[in-house]
Amino acid sequence: MQNTATPTHCPYCALQCGMNLTPAPDGTVEVSERADFPVNRGALCGKGRTAPAVLSSRVRLTSPLVRSGGTLVPATWDEALERIAGELSRTRAEHGPDACGVFGGGGLTNEKAYTLGKFARVVLGTSQIDYNGRFCMSSAAAGGMKAFGLDRGLPFPLEDIPKSGCVILVGSNLAETMPPSLRFFTELRENGGTLIVVDPRRTKTAEQADLHLMPRPGTDLALALGLLHLVVAEGLVDEEYVRERTAGWEDARAAAMAHWPEYVERITGVPVPQLRETVRMFCEPESAMVLTARGPEQQSKGTDTVSAWINLCLATGRAGRPFSGYGCLTGQGNGQGGREHGQKADQLPGYRKLEDPAARAHVAEVWGVDPDSLPGPGRSAYELLDALGTDIKSLLLMGSNPVVSAPHAARIEERIKSLDFLAVCDVVLSETAALADVVLPVTQWAEETGTTTNLEGRVLLRRQAITAPDGIRSDLEVMHELADRLGVEKGFPTDPEEVFEELRRASAGGPADYSGITYRRLAEENGVFWPCPTEDTVVHPGTPRLFLDRFATPDGRARFVPVSHRAIAEEPDEEYPVLLTTGRVVAQYQSGAQTRRVDELNAAAPGPFVELHPRLAERLGAAEGDPVAVVSRRGRAVAPARITLGIRPDTVFMPFHWYGEGRANTLTNPALDPTSRMPEFKACAVRVEAVKS
């Protein structure tokens, strides 16, 4: 590659911040500001600035590895690919196609996600495919589908946030998880708008708020219902909007009226005056928004919780209107596109339902296969991982590290170890890859071209800026080679633009219609919002703002969903009297597989910790920095105490980026939401113990 700046995007979170990459004479890659991209306007967090560090051969994989005599040893590509193809063939022959599992990641490009879904269903013939995006925003997706008939993280661009009158931010610490986005909320307040943050911790985001509500973890559903009760009681329902643009109000209203303020205060711990002040701040301005993140969504009732917050927006006329609405702050870099195009167990490209005969026929025609040959829906992510070694004998895994990121992680680690065969494609030797029988080193973001879809539904073009080291291949090349060895010689191109052209055809006419989006348009227009059904930019420039005229339901009306509060799956008791909640810190990302290999980031966040209130610390006899143990029904984790007044006395917090004795997900509860199949990462019963030296 030439030593010129290449405009591209960060490999980490769903902001997909714009940046320029320039190869330096010493072989490193320099990051510089790209002010023309509207999401970050040049700003980058520490993770984005240091992202090229993982491109170094010092930290990344450079050769295929094959297990021999219990040890991973270097191998040729032919040896590694033959081993994978042979084991997958043997598994299918002995146990049937569903004994082969496929697990993907929310960091894969649209092209890779699309091809992985096609590979599972066409080459392996398995229904057993899902991805770690199920752990990200599946509850918000389910709630959005129920209410609006369509799921897109944000139905408006981030640039609309400063123009709103009030934003309720529920369970998001974006000052640490996606720092460049904080400017939109700062501008909101500078413009006279107000910010309400809902979080059991006083995070850096909560410090920016005009009002901070600190509910008990797992009670966001009751909180939203209590606010809707007050909206009704105080005569603040937008009756005309409800009549003309919604359906189902009476049942939702009746459910909310059972959640009177004092009852909600007892459940949540949020004082009634704060509930009333929230309603006043939300309803006074002409426009307002509710934005949720993992806090309310990663619960065994996450879909109902999202529905309750959407109901609040609908009752007050705050959806499908300018600078108003409900939105979800997607976490992973391509969490949105990753499920739209086929990694999710029940979906085909274009956000089509796998059980819909018309959807199967359309996609099968693009793929050149019989619709009846496509398997039906398979297991959700946790259920798939929990079936490893029993129903599922072999697993192909791309871009995920469930040994660290899955709930009840010790169990999942054992399930992975019980597999007959595991193949992993990754850029580093993650904790999961270290357990594999074959590990394939694949290209990274700066070494390949492809598209991602950010949290706004804006499809973006990541451009190749450098050439990968010798011995590295792309995931598309891996799937092409495996398909060929497994008897499917055509249909798996290695050129990403060729794959995207097929994706366009497969998505055409679907809810997530990309058929009018081309690489040329993405380069010229700084991204295109889906749906976009035609290349003619005059006829259809893309859809930055959804639902302004009608919702994506058969009659164009949004649906109220009646919901009621229920307890988390595992309430505290005498043996486990404290609640654990988990999350991220600014210097690390997800399972830490990449960021924990960057010296600057490790210096800022070297390891796990347990955040606890001084009252709890005093009862334990623990001082700042002392090791404490957090114990749940699933295991035990040990990390230094971090004592702060910024957390509820009945709650402890642990970040989930680390493996080993401080692994937070050793503790978390895999109880699943009945609709989204999202595990309850955000609330489980634990006890905290001082660790004697």
Side-chain angles (χ1 to χ4, degrees):
M1 304 294 291
Q2 293 182 339
N3 291 346
T4 56
T6 300
T8 189
H9 296 272
C10 178
Y12 291 119
C13 82
L15 288 180
Q16 289 295 280
C17 291
M19 59 171 60
N20 290 314
L21 295 182
T22 306
D26 62 359
T28 60
V29 179
E30 296 177 354
V31 174
S32 59
E33 180 178 301
R34 182 182 163 195
D36 68 314
F37 187 60
V39 170
N40 63 311
R41 306 176 202 162
L44 292 169
C45 72
K47 295 185 291 291
R49 286 188 297 98
T50 61
V54 187
L55 298 168
S56 168
S57 296
R58 182 177 63 86
V59 299
R60 57 99 54 83
L61 293 167
T62 57
S63 169
L65 302 174
V66 172
R67 191 165 297 279
S68 176
T71 304
L72 287 171
V73 298
T76 67
W77 272 94
D78 278 342
E79 289 170 339
L81 291 167
E82 286 292 340
R83 174 85 178 272
I84 297 172
E87 291 290 346
L88 293 175
S89 293
R90 181 190 59 77
T91 298
R92 285 193 303 168
E94 293 181 5
H95 305 285
D98 275 357
C100 295
V102 176
F103 198 83
L108 299 181
T109 62
N110 289 318
E111 292 80 0
K112 295 177 185 179
Y114 171 83
T115 303
L116 189 61
K118 182 180 179 181
F119 180 87
R121 296 177 175 108
V122 172
V123 178
L124 298 179
T126 183
S127 66
Q128 300 303 304
I129 175 172
D130 211 85
Y131 83 127
N132 62 16
R134 179 80 69 167
F135 300 158
C136 178
M137 60 174 288
S138 56
S139 292
M145 289 296 293
K146 286 184 176 185
F148 307 130
L150 188 68
D151 154 43
R152 196 180 84 184
L154 292 179
F156 40 73
L158 284 164
E159 64 190 34
D160 281 6
I161 289 172
K163 302 170 187 174
S164 187
C166 176
V167 174
I168 301 179
L169 186 61
V170 189
S172 172
N173 183 15
L174 53 82
E176 295 199 65
T177 59
M178 44 183 67
S181 69
L182 189 62
R183 66 173 57 193
F184 294 104
F185 298 87
T186 301
E187 291 171 10
L188 164 77
R189 299 181 70 205
E190 290 172 349
N191 292 343
T194 54
L195 174 63
I196 301 168
V197 170
V198 180
D199 199 302
R201 304 167 60 223
R202 186 162 181 78
T203 63
K204 290 180 179 173
T205 306
E207 290 172 357
Q208 309 299 313
D210 298 282
L211 178 62
H212 176 206
L213 311 182
M214 295 181 72
R216 188 170 173 266
T219 63
D220 308 272
L221 173 54
L223 177 62
L225 287 163
L227 297 176
L228 183 53
H229 177 110
L230 285 170
V231 165
V232 175
E234 297 180 13
L236 298 172
V237 175
D238 188 331
E239 301 285 358
E240 181 180 359
Y241 174 93
V242 168
R243 184 171 57 253
E244 294 182 356
R245 297 205 62 187
T246 72
W249 166 233
E250 289 306 318
D251 288 343
R253 178 186 182 278
M257 296 315 288
H259 298 77
W260 60 95
E262 292 76 12
Y263 172 57
V264 169
E265 179 179 325
R266 288 201 300 273
I267 294 170
T268 65
V270 177
V272 170
Q274 288 192 355
L275 298 176
R276 295 187 184 279
E277 179 66 2
T278 299
V279 169
R280 183 194 68 77
M281 292 169 66
F282 187 69
C283 292
E284 274 188 357
E286 185 176 343
S287 58
M289 298 174 176
V290 172
L291 305 177
T292 67
R294 305 302 78 75
E297 297 163 18
Q298 287 181 328
Q299 298 182 27
S300 58
K301 54 180 183 288
T303 301
D304 284 359
T305 303
V306 167
S307 293
W309 287 105
I310 292 175
N311 289 348
L312 179 67
C313 291
L314 294 177
T316 53
R318 309 310 183 114
R321 284 179 167 173
F323 316 124
S324 291
Y326 165 79
C328 164
L329 297 171
T330 308
Q332 294 192 81
N334 197 32
Q336 182 76 48
R339 73 177 176 284
E340 289 169 3
H341 298 300
Q343 286 190 101
K344 196 160 170 277
D346 59 349
Q347 286 178 193
L348 289 169
Y351 219 124
R352 288 181 159 91
K353 284 294 182 185
L354 190 53
E355 292 180 299
D356 178 359
R360 293 169 68 88
H362 174 86
V363 174
E365 182 178 4
V366 173
W367 288 351
V369 300
D370 184 340
D372 292 336
S373 71
L374 299 178
R379 293 175 173 89
S380 70
Y382 182 80
E383 292 164 305
L384 188 157
L385 294 170
D386 195 45
L388 299 181
T390 54
D391 294 342
I392 299 172
K393 306 295 185 181
S394 294
L395 181 68
L396 174 64
L397 184 146
M398 286 187 173
S400 186
N401 189 18
V403 163
V404 177
S405 63
H408 200 352
R411 174 174 174 79
I412 297 308
E413 183 171 358
E414 289 304 312
R415 298 269 36 92
I416 288 172
K417 289 177 179 178
S418 72
L419 281 164
D420 291 351
F421 178 75
L422 171 64
V424 173
C425 299
D426 210 330
V427 300
V428 297
L429 191 67
S430 70
E431 287 78 10
T432 304
L435 302 177
D437 298 286
V438 178
V439 184
L440 299 180
V442 291
T443 50
Q444 299 185 55
W445 58 290
E447 300 163 347
E448 59 188 12
T449 295
T451 63
T452 61
T453 306
N454 81 344
L455 77 172
E456 307 165 297
R458 188 195 304 252
V459 185
L460 306 166
L461 183 63
R462 279 193 199 160
R463 298 169 176 87
Q464 182 181 359
I466 61 172
T467 301
D470 291 340
I472 308 297
R473 298 188 185 181
S474 74
D475 293 288
L476 295 180
E477 290 175 302
V478 169
M479 287 184 278
H480 172 87
E481 292 288 343
L482 289 177
D484 185 57
R485 284 169 167 79
L486 291 165
V488 181
E489 298 177 2
K490 296 181 179 179
F492 289 86
T494 60
D495 176 65
E497 188 168 8
E498 186 177 348
V499 175
F500 191 78
E501 288 299 304
E502 183 179 304
L503 182 157
R504 291 175 60 205
R505 298 195 304 275
S507 73
D513 191 336
Y514 283 33
S515 59
I517 303 175
T518 65
Y519 272 29
R520 176 189 58 79
R521 284 193 65 178
L522 294 177
E524 293 176 355
E525 300 173 37
N526 234 341
V528 178
F529 292 86
W530 71 261
C532 183
T534 175
E535 288 185 56
D536 189 326
T537 58
V538 176
V539 173
H540 205 296
T543 314
R545 296 169 182 86
L546 295 168
F547 312 138
L548 294 180
D549 299 317
R550 57 177 283 125
F551 295 97
T553 56
D555 60 5
R557 292 173 173 265
R559 302 287 192 266
F560 282 96
V561 178
V563 293
S564 296
H565 168 71
R566 63 181 187 274
I568 61 174
E570 188 179 73
E571 288 282 359
D573 56 22
E574 288 186 8
E575 187 176 3
Y576 300 97
V578 177
L579 282 167
L580 167 71
T581 193
T582 64
R584 286 168 48 190
V585 297
V586 67
Q588 301 288 354
Y589 180 71
Q590 304 300 71
S591 75
Q594 295 181 46
T595 52
R596 285 187 276 115
R597 287 166 168 79
V598 179
D599 292 341
E600 180 180 330
L601 300 179
N602 281 333
F609 56 86
V610 180
E611 191 175 275
L612 66 163
H613 191 274
R615 270 189 266 165
L616 178 55
E618 184 178 4
R619 289 203 301 271
L620 296 173
E624 180 77 14
D626 285 352
V628 295
V630 183
V631 184
S632 78
R633 290 178 173 86
R634 288 154 295 281
R636 182 175 189 265
V638 178
R642 185 172 292 183
I643 301 171
T644 174
L645 289 167
I647 193 168
R648 291 174 55 96
D650 58 2
T651 301
V652 294
F653 167 83
M654 290 187 71
F656 56 70
H657 309 290
W658 288 274
Y659 184 62
E661 70 171 3
R663 179 173 60 184
N665 278 320
T666 296
L667 309 167
T668 49
N669 191 353
L672 301 180
D673 179 285
T675 302
S676 68
R677 316 308 287 169
M678 168 78 87
E680 192 153 61
F681 286 99
K682 285 299 186 242
C684 69
V686 299
R687 66 173 179 266
V688 187
E689 302 170 341
V691 176
K692 296 178 181 179
S693 57

